[in-house]
Amino acid sequence: MDGDADIASVAAVIGNPARGRMLTAMAGGRALPASELARVAQVSPSTASAHLARLTLSGLVAVERHGRYRYHRLADERVAQVIEGLSALAPSRRVRSLREANQSTAERAARSCYDHLAGAVAVALADRLCESGALDRDDLSLRDASPFAALGVDVGALAGARRPLTRSCLDWSERRPHLAGGLGAALLQALLASSWVVRRPQGRAVAVTPRGRAGLRDALGLDVVAAALH
Amino acid sequence: MDGDADIASVAAVIGNPARGRMLTAMAGGRALPASELARVAQVSPSTASAHLARLTLSGLVAVERHGRYRYHRLADERVAQVIEGLSALAPSRRVRSLREANQSTAERAARSCYDHLAGAVAVALADRLCESGALDRDDLSLRDASPFAALGVDVGALAGARRPLTRSCLDWSERRPHLAGGLGAALLQALLASSWVVRRPQGRAVAVTPRGRAGLRDALGLDVVAAALH
DNA sequence: GCAACGCTTCGCCTCCCGGCGAAGCGTTCC
DNA sequence: GGAACGCTTCGCCGGGAGGCGAAGCGTTGC
């Protein structure tokens, strides 16, 4: 028989500045090579290697080999949830450079959160979907699938999945909920597939394209620019 | 302008064996004096004092003075969520004594999770409420309030609250969801008020009284003993 | 085949974190 | 008033975690 869970052993793995930066980078949902993670963590390759070994051994991070590269990503959604929860508790760091300030602004506006969309745009999107009656205002459960069909999401295909259809995810920058779960993931997939949203080259930030701006205005009556400004 | 959140600084606070045990103890929702926390953390009073100072300074724990005692509890629900998330990721500890084994069995069966019910009983209860159509099977959102009224919960009084009415909380021992949020909290309150459920003297475990067993059978057709066995 | 490249292993060093006991401070109780 | 009690502060100590560079291993590309 086993006893209570030992939360400190997991938290200690996360609780190192370099590993924390690595996990934050991976929280965008992309798989990243060790060299890139060493860069964001601001440590030497050898140090990064030791950290990544510890992250994989503890089961927080999964690795895929592609030739001489090793791509690292969060092991599963539960890890992403913990990272997100910690972000909500953590004090925000002071930025040191203009580059960081731009990055930070972009991430506040729109970013990927593991496999779904987060940031001001995601919160505004969830709000608009509540107003239009597609989602429940209390817990973001699905009320009407048709607006999602208009965005290119096949809601029917998600019905049989083991994963919960909708989940409310607290946005750490906005302090308000946005849409996660199977539907949240499918929505981001659809937005990326139609190029309404594109991933920025590095970091978690994403950008809404002009076409996406027009599409979201036509489909939902949502003004993304206004949403990003507040 | 501030930058990305520093998750490592928070995780490092949680990521110490003694502090982890303290937080796990407080995750039951009770406020505990420093001496009791020193006992569960298995450290001297002076060491415990240092840990508690760090926990309060980092904002994870709130303190109330009552005479010469200082009662500590988790600062808010977000902290409880992170603790619960980490529990789900953490490997479970090996037990060392019969006492620990009993405690562990009891907690798996039924325990308080911050302000709501968790464990096998909570999962079975959520299942039963889904079957009877009171809760949505996908995300545990409210479908029919009448079964809750039968349990002594005034759902109407919760309607205006800022807090989400229902939230699905992943049970770390059962790996399946149970009911949290305002309704989950109100349900535990009602069960405690009617003495259908009582807190055990120490730890997070709670017990369903004979009266509660009969009440849950009559009100919902739920067999608590069978639920606890599997 | 050899150079370039990504990553890991190894050895070494430093520093800080977490532990304790003794003593001090504030509260309670007789 | 004084003893008992809960908690904090202080000083001290030991161990382990985290950092680096050099060297080694496997893959890629010319």
Side-chain angles (χ1 to χ4, degrees):
Chain A
M1 188 74 206
D2 46 357
D4 222 352
D6 177 13
I7 63 167
S9 60
V10 195
V13 176
I14 307 175
N16 164 275
R19 288 194 294 267
R21 285 190 285 264
M22 287 176 168
L23 289 168
T24 304
M26 287 185 261
R30 266 192 288 197
L32 300 168
S35 50
E36 170 69 11
L37 289 167
R39 202 186 57 78
V40 299
Q42 302 164 35
V43 290
S44 70
S46 60
T47 303
S49 180
H51 285 313
L52 288 168
R54 191 156 174 202
L55 285 169
T56 51
L57 275 177
S58 66
L60 295 180
V61 162
V63 198
E64 280 173 47
R65 302 195 45 157
H66 279 278
R68 54 184 166 185
Y69 295 86
R70 310 194 117 212
Y71 287 94
H72 300 76
R73 57 181 171 75
L74 299 189
D76 61 39
E77 196 185 359
R78 295 174 309 161
V79 179
Q81 270 179 255
V82 168
I83 305 291
E84 208 64 16
L86 287 169
S87 297
L89 290 178
S92 43
R93 258 186 327 109
R94 288 251 150 249
V95 288
R96 274 185 284 269
S97 66
L98 184 60
R99 246 195 81 5
E100 273 190 27
N102 287 338
Q103 182 76 13
S104 171
T105 309
E107 287 186 357
R108 267 159 208 286
R111 65 181 179 278
S112 52
C113 168
Y114 191 55
D115 60 2
H116 57 273
L117 199 63
V121 168
V123 169
L125 192 57
D127 274 354
R128 192 71 200 83
L129 287 165
C130 287
E131 277 176 35
S132 71
L135 296 177
D136 186 284
R137 195 172 294 278
D138 277 333
D139 49 23
L140 301 188
S141 57
L142 185 65
R143 290 261 168 276
D144 173 17
S146 56
F148 287 95
L151 296 171
V153 179
D154 181 5
V155 180
L158 298 170
R162 180 185 289 172
R163 184 174 183 189
L165 187 61
T166 63
R167 206 170 60 71
S168 168
C169 179
L170 188 66
D171 201 294
W172 57 259
S173 54
E174 295 286 307
R175 312 252 171 213
R176 298 194 39 225
H178 60 247
L179 180 65
L183 189 56
L187 179 57
L188 177 57
Q189 284 301 317
L191 293 173
L192 289 171
S194 62
S195 290
W196 285 15
V197 165
V198 291
R199 288 188 188 278
R200 285 178 190 249
Q202 55 189 7
R204 304 173 54 174
V206 300
V208 180
T209 61
R211 219 166 94 202
R213 213 147 50 224
L216 287 171
R217 184 166 18 79
D218 295 347
L220 301 175
L222 176 68
D223 183 352
V224 174
V225 179
L229 289 179
H230 201 172
Chain B
M1 188 76 206
D2 46 358
D4 222 352
D6 178 13
I7 62 166
S9 61
V10 195
V13 176
I14 308 174
N16 164 274
R19 288 194 294 266
R21 285 189 285 264
M22 288 175 167
L23 290 168
T24 303
M26 288 185 258
R30 267 191 288 197
L32 300 169
S35 50
E36 170 69 10
L37 289 167
R39 203 186 56 78
V40 299
Q42 301 163 36
V43 291
S44 69
S46 60
T47 304
S49 180
H51 284 313
L52 288 168
R54 192 157 172 199
L55 285 168
T56 50
L57 275 177
S58 65
L60 295 180
V61 163
V63 197
E64 279 172 49
R65 300 194 49 156
H66 280 279
R68 54 183 166 184
Y69 294 87
R70 310 195 116 212
Y71 287 94
H72 299 77
R73 56 179 172 76
L74 299 188
D76 60 41
E77 196 184 359
R78 296 175 309 160
V79 179
Q81 270 180 255
V82 168
I83 305 290
E84 208 64 15
L86 287 170
S87 298
L89 290 178
S92 43
R93 260 186 326 109
R94 288 252 150 249
V95 289
R96 275 186 285 269
S97 66
L98 184 61
R99 245 192 83 4
E100 274 190 26
N102 287 337
Q103 182 77 12
S104 170
T105 309
E107 286 186 358
R108 266 158 208 287
R111 65 181 178 278
S112 53
C113 169
Y114 190 55
D115 60 2
H116 58 272
L117 200 64
V121 168
V123 169
L125 192 57
D127 274 352
R128 191 72 201 85
L129 288 165
C130 287
E131 277 176 36
S132 69
L135 297 177
D136 185 283
R137 195 173 293 279
D138 277 332
D139 49 22
L140 300 187
S141 57
L142 185 65
R143 291 263 167 275
D144 174 18
S146 56
F148 287 95
L151 296 171
V153 179
D154 181 6
V155 180
L158 299 169
R162 179 186 289 173
R163 184 175 182 188
L165 187 62
T166 64
R167 206 171 57 73
S168 168
C169 178
L170 188 66
D171 200 292
W172 57 259
S173 54
E174 295 286 307
R175 312 252 170 212
R176 299 193 39 225
H178 60 248
L179 181 66
L183 188 57
L187 179 57
L188 177 58
Q189 285 301 318
L191 292 173
L192 289 171
S194 61
S195 290
W196 285 15
V197 165
V198 292
R199 288 187 188 278
R200 286 176 189 250
Q202 55 188 9
R204 306 173 53 175
V206 301
V208 180
T209 62
R211 219 168 94 202
R213 214 148 47 224
L216 287 171
R217 184 163 20 79
D218 295 346
L220 301 174
L222 176 67
D223 183 352
V224 174
V225 179
L229 290 178
H230 201 171

